Amino acid sequence: MADAQLPPLGYGVATSSYQIEGALDVDGRGRSIWDELCARTGAIADGSDGAIACESYARFDEDLALLEDLGVSAYRFSIAWPRVQPGGDGRVETRGLDYYDRVVDGLLGAGIRPFPTLYHWDLPQALEEAGGWPVRDTALRFAEYAAVVAERLGDRVTHWATMNEPWCSAFLGYAAGVHAPGRREGEAAYAAAHHLLLGHALGAAVIRDAWPAAQVGIVLNMAPVRPEPDADPLAVDMVDAVQNRLWLDALADGSYPPLLTGSSPALTEHGVVREGDLAAVVGSADWVGVNYYTPFRVGPVMTGEVAVGQDAAAYPYTPAFSFHPRPPRTDMGWEVDASGLEAILLTVARRLPGVPLRVTENGAAFPDREVQADGSVSDPERIGYLRDHLAAVERARAAGAPVHDYLAWSLLDNFEWAEGYTKTFGLATLDPRTRARTPKQSFHWYAERARAARES
Ligand code: FCB
């Protein structure tokens, strides 16, 4: 598996539209499923929403200045579908596209490679009302949207990501109901998973048709699944199948894990998976992004700690189990274990030989937004987390995983979905009143690493 040609690791950071932009009613943006979920009482931990967030729609220049100070070679951001197609259909809002045009030009002017993600969870509400991801038409609409964006930006963008973490969209959105659109229908989640993969494949194809040099990838959140003593082996196997193999098997072999086709009628009946769909998915990723935060430790049902977002309802047809994250844990309740990143990168590299990989998100939430009198923000745990995970990436590279870039989550403290503003992942914090950005110590540490990498 060794790749002698692997260039030095590129350093970058990542964000997403709904989490940072604010300006939800500006320049003709349509409503998204996250606007709707946030309006539901009790859906978001602090009752907040993305209305203001980091105000990045108005303050991209400030973000760009931070990126330049950080000295990163790549910036992963996402494009808000409802800014580009407010109703999710044919009508295009050019003011929305103009914004991303400026973002791309700003980045290129600063020598930073733009890494747009087309779908980071903000589905136009109109498409949810027409059935959302469980409905095939949404995948077709996604391909049209991808074509519109590619036409506008494809002369300058070479690296695209279609979907961000389709597992979250499908299983947190439609089975556990903790993410938008907040539905709890296990079967719908499987149909959504298939349509997200299909949308990826169709979208990738239209981008490549328009721009043959484009490199179109998909971003998956995968993690090694580790059994606790007394875990039900079937539960362990199901969690691994839903979290990891569903996506990898489809991309590598054009099939779904027998364990899942044996349990979900959506994958075998109802005409969801049609002739030719999986043939379009196999080999459809020019590169794969891995988002990694924590290993998944599966054990028997117990009262006690279950990590945030790791809701057992997100694994339909799985025998009763619960997650047992071991200490040390981050503010999300997620177990810290860098060896899991090395392990999952090697798994993906073996499953998809020759496919370039990127760590498209990795980072940690700690409660560290306090700005000291001298203007500094101390976040030693985040530095330790990043250092250990970067070492894990280097080990995976040395063992032959072709990892090209590492993008830390996140540039700024931002809207952390169902957790609202209660969890902070940023290398920089924000003044809650003025939105002024203040780099944390981890920012300076990361800048130093990025500089050393560039000079190596
Ligand atoms: C990932 C999401 C990202 C961010 C991190 C903490 O699941 O892709 O937007 O919220 O988790």
Side-chain angles (χ1 to χ4, degrees):
M1 208 159 69
D3 180 354
Q5 301 306 311
L6 202 55
L9 189 67
Y11 279 62
V13 282
T15 61
S16 88
S17 49
Y18 191 75
Q19 293 179 278
I20 66 164
E21 286 178 355
L24 302 182
D25 296 325
V26 174
D27 287 346
R29 176 187 177 276
R31 286 186 72 72
S32 85
I33 55 174
W34 274 93
D35 301 280
E36 296 296 320
L37 186 77
C38 291
R40 247 190 246 174
T41 310
I44 309 298
D46 56 2
S48 66
D49 57 31
I52 298 177
C54 309
E55 286 185 341
S56 289
Y57 196 76
R59 295 174 183 254
F60 174 68
D61 290 349
E62 288 175 46
D63 292 351
L64 183 58
L66 278 178
L67 291 165
E68 291 188 270
D69 288 348
L70 206 46
V72 286
S73 58
Y75 179 50
R76 175 172 176 244
F77 58 98
S78 82
I79 294 175
W81 189 348
R83 287 199 192 281
V84 176
Q85 293 182 321
D89 54 11
R91 190 174 71 76
V92 172
E93 175 50 81
T94 49
R95 289 173 296 175
L97 280 171
D98 292 344
Y99 170 69
Y100 298 109
D101 212 84
R102 286 196 301 277
V103 169
V104 165
D105 283 344
L107 292 169
L108 290 172
I112 299 169
R113 190 155 36 115
F115 248 108
T117 301
L118 287 164
Y119 186 70
H120 201 127
W121 305 351
D122 36 7
L123 185 71
Q125 176 62 19
L127 291 182
E128 175 56 27
E129 282 162 19
W133 285 111
V135 164
R136 187 177 184 88
D137 191 56
T138 304
L140 310 183
R141 297 284 85 76
F142 175 79
E144 287 170 7
Y145 155 67
V148 167
V149 179
E151 186 185 350
R152 182 67 179 265
L153 304 179
D155 57 336
R156 286 152 292 151
V157 168
T158 53
H159 287 79
W160 299 87
T162 53
M163 306 296 174
N164 177 70
E165 301 190 354
W167 176 82
C168 292
S169 295
F171 291 94
L172 295 182
Y174 291 93
V178 295
H179 278 189
R183 286 163 55 181
R184 287 181 81 93
E185 305 159 33
E187 252 328 87
Y190 282 102
H194 178 68
H195 294 137
L196 283 151
L197 277 168
L198 180 65
H200 150 76
L202 298 174
V206 299
I207 297 172
R208 279 191 293 257
D209 276 354
W211 304 99
Q215 296 290 306
V216 192
I218 185 168
V219 170
L220 302 171
N221 56 315
M222 288 176 294
V225 177
R226 298 185 170 155
E228 282 289 277
D230 304 330
D232 178 337
L234 182 58
V236 175
D237 205 16
M238 279 293 289
V239 171
D240 183 52
V242 172
Q243 197 74 47
N244 301 317
R245 300 194 319 257
L246 169 59
W247 319 98
L248 290 176
D249 287 5
L251 291 167
D253 305 331
S255 65
Y256 286 131
L259 191 59
L260 301 186
T261 50
S263 45
S264 162
L267 296 181
T268 46
E269 299 165 21
H270 310 319
V272 171
V273 183
R274 297 195 191 161
E275 182 84 38
D277 285 2
L278 285 166
V281 172
V282 67
S284 59
D286 296 322
W287 58 275
V288 166
V290 173
N291 289 357
Y292 173 82
Y293 292 91
T294 184
F296 287 174
R297 221 173 262 284
V298 173
V301 178
M302 267 176 30
T303 47
E305 262 172 304
V306 171
V308 171
Q310 293 189 326
D311 187 331
Y315 302 86
Y317 308 116
T318 303
F321 75 98
S322 63
F323 286 106
H324 295 218
R326 293 184 183 176
R329 291 184 280 257
T330 68
D331 203 24
M332 295 290 275
W334 295 347
E335 176 175 345
V336 177
D337 183 353
S339 75
L341 177 54
E342 180 184 1
I344 198 68
L345 287 171
L346 290 170
T347 299
V348 180
R350 279 191 210 103
R351 213 54 195 91
L352 298 168
V355 175
L357 306 182
R358 310 198 139 77
V359 176
T360 30
E361 286 180 30
N362 175 242
F366 290 109
D368 45 22
R369 52 178 113 210
E370 192 88 0
V371 182
Q372 305 300 316
D374 64 359
S376 66
V377 181
S378 168
D379 60 343
E381 292 111 322
R382 182 169 296 99
I383 294 176
Y385 184 100
L386 296 174
R387 188 194 49 229
D388 293 350
H389 285 75
L390 276 161
V393 173
E394 290 297 357
R395 288 197 301 275
R397 278 163 53 96
V403 185
H404 288 249
D405 297 286
Y406 172 93
L407 310 180
W409 184 270
S410 180
L411 175 64
L412 301 160
D413 290 346
N414 58 43
F415 176 76
E416 180 45 40
W417 307 113
E419 302 307 313
Y421 296 96
T422 65
K423 304 288 187 249
T424 49
F425 280 86
L427 299 180
T429 190
L430 292 190
D431 183 301
R433 276 177 312 103
T434 65
R435 310 280 147 185
R437 283 91 163 116
T438 304
K440 302 179 188 176
Q441 277 167 359
S442 58
F443 181 104
H444 302 298
W445 179 87
Y446 197 64
E448 186 52 38
R449 287 289 295 253
R451 191 189 55 73
R454 267 198 323 278
E455 290 170 1
S456 68

